[in-house]
Amino acid sequence: MDNRESEIRVGFVNPRYNSLLVALAYFAGGSLLYALDLGVLVEDRPPQPLWVWLVLLACVCAPMTMRRTRPLLALLLGTVPVLVDLVVGPSLPVWIAYGDLLYTATLFGSARTSRFLERAPLVPIVVGAVALGVYFGELRIAVWAVSIAALVIVVPIWWARSVRTHRDAAEIERARAEALSRVAELDRRAAITTERQRLARDLHDVVAGHLSSIAIQSEAALRLRDSDPDRALTVLESVRSGSVAALQEMQSMVRLLRSDDTDEITTAGRLADLEPLTASARAAGTSVRIDGRPPADLDAEVDLTAYRIVQETLTNAVKHAPGRPVTLRFDDADGRLGIEVLNPIGDPDTPDPSPARGAGHGLRNIAERAAAVGGHARSGRDGNEWRTYVQLPIANRSTT
């Protein structure tokens, strides 16, 4: 921070420094009014020496040094010389300075103090004006007293109340804007997290699924290259087709990420295109039997979700139970699509193979995908079989 910034900070931010300047300014201005003989409000009072007015003015200005830090205490300390001034003869500089103390106490004091000061002067002013009018027997004296009191007491208080009301309203709006900004930031982070999770599921399905299938099929082709070259060639063709399919799905995901249409849904896979998945599994040595037919008019998002789930279950079967048959069943009842995948995993007393041979991302992705479209999924051992059962809503079918 340079010297100029330091001066600005000291001069305009430090409340004690500002209050001292204000007190000096009021004292200098009041002294000038006294010197010009413009300070006395009542001419019929006995004249007072100049030093009396200056002492009273100084006693009112001195508490101004606390006008920002302790406004109520400053007001109470300034009230004493004002009462003395009222006895010896009201003077304009003293009451003008006292109006500043009323203003700061109303503006910077507590909410209770501010409300009290707004109402407290009204009754004493009216009663005092009426008493003066009755005592002197002239209405104009009462009007004059009310006018002066309104000028030096009521106006500063009401002005401070107005400023305080606008300041409080601005603080409320500022707090509301900050709260909305925090909510928007949390929504943005939640949206980013959700999108990252979706991309992680897609990448797992596209990359891990196809690479696992390619690895298993390549191993099978290596084993068969001498004993059964024709079948090894068939497996390699399946490896190539799987690689091409994976590349196409990756390209589809890249197009989706670059697209400005946030409602676009990739159509890289649908239940009508299950043949490449079953062919890849069969090429890896896993026979697949399909019971039932999935509906042909599913909503695009549900259709894609079902395809990804079937893809993941077949990948898991090929990876964790290679060479064992898989049964894939579809049923369409009560407005829901049921998908059941069964494959033998060995003796019922052996532990589940999935935790030992994988991190469980696939099963978690299946459950998350089903939940994202309003369905649910269960996976686990059922006797000597591994069973995955999924239900997805099909009430809102595509009309295209």
Side-chain angles (χ1 to χ4, degrees), residues 155-367:
V155 170
I157 293 175
W158 284 2
W159 184 13
R161 285 292 295 174
S162 177
V163 174
R164 184 175 185 133
T165 299
H166 287 83
R167 183 193 65 185
D168 293 344
E171 291 178 355
I172 292 174
E173 290 299 324
R174 187 182 302 110
R176 183 180 302 171
E178 291 176 355
L180 291 175
S181 177
R182 288 194 296 268
V183 170
E185 178 63 18
L186 292 176
D187 289 342
R188 185 186 69 85
R189 292 182 181 180
I192 292 175
T193 301
T194 301
E195 186 64 16
R196 285 176 175 173
Q197 292 174 349
R198 187 186 69 82
L199 290 175
R201 290 194 298 267
D202 288 343
L203 287 173
H204 178 274
D205 293 342
V206 173
V207 177
H210 283 290
L211 289 181
S212 297
S213 178
I214 290 172
I216 294 172
Q217 293 176 8
S218 301
E219 183 180 357
L222 290 174
R223 291 198 309 267
L224 296 172
R225 64 180 178 179
D226 295 328
S227 59
D228 194 347
D230 293 336
R231 187 177 176 187
L233 181 60
T234 302
V235 173
L236 289 177
E237 291 175 351
S238 178
V239 169
R240 181 186 180 281
S241 63
S243 303
V244 172
L247 180 61
Q248 290 175 346
E249 293 195 29
M250 289 293 294
Q251 291 173 342
S252 177
M253 289 182 61
V254 172
R255 287 195 301 270
L256 177 62
L257 292 174
R258 290 179 175 177
S259 175
D260 294 332
D261 185 5
T262 56
D263 295 328
E264 179 182 350
I265 297 177
T266 180
T267 57
R270 309 183 77 91
L271 287 181
D273 305 324
L274 286 181
E275 180 58 31
L277 295 181
T278 58
S280 176
R282 293 188 182 102
T286 299
S287 63
V288 180
R289 182 167 64 93
I290 300 178
D291 294 340
R293 296 179 60 86
D297 55 351
L298 287 173
D299 176 80
E301 187 175 6
V302 174
D303 200 356
L304 175 61
T305 298
Y307 176 86
R308 293 297 191 195
I309 288 175
V310 171
Q311 181 184 31
E312 181 62 30
T313 55
L314 291 179
T315 299
N316 288 341
V318 172
K319 182 190 302 183
H320 300 302
R324 300 189 179 186
V326 176
T327 301
L328 179 60
R329 297 193 181 109
F330 295 98
D331 64 82
D332 178 7
D334 300 328
R336 301 186 75 82
L337 168 64
I339 304 174
E340 184 179 39
V341 183
L342 297 170
N343 63 282
I345 56 175
D347 187 78
D349 296 330
T350 61
D352 292 346
S354 56
R357 301 183 60 183
H361 296 303
L363 299 181
R364 184 168 59 250
N365 287 348
I366 291 174

Side-chain angles (χ1 to χ4, degrees), residues 125 144-156:
I125 289 175
W144 176 84
V146 169
S147 301
I148 295 298
L151 179 64
V152 299
I153 296 178
V154 177
V155 170

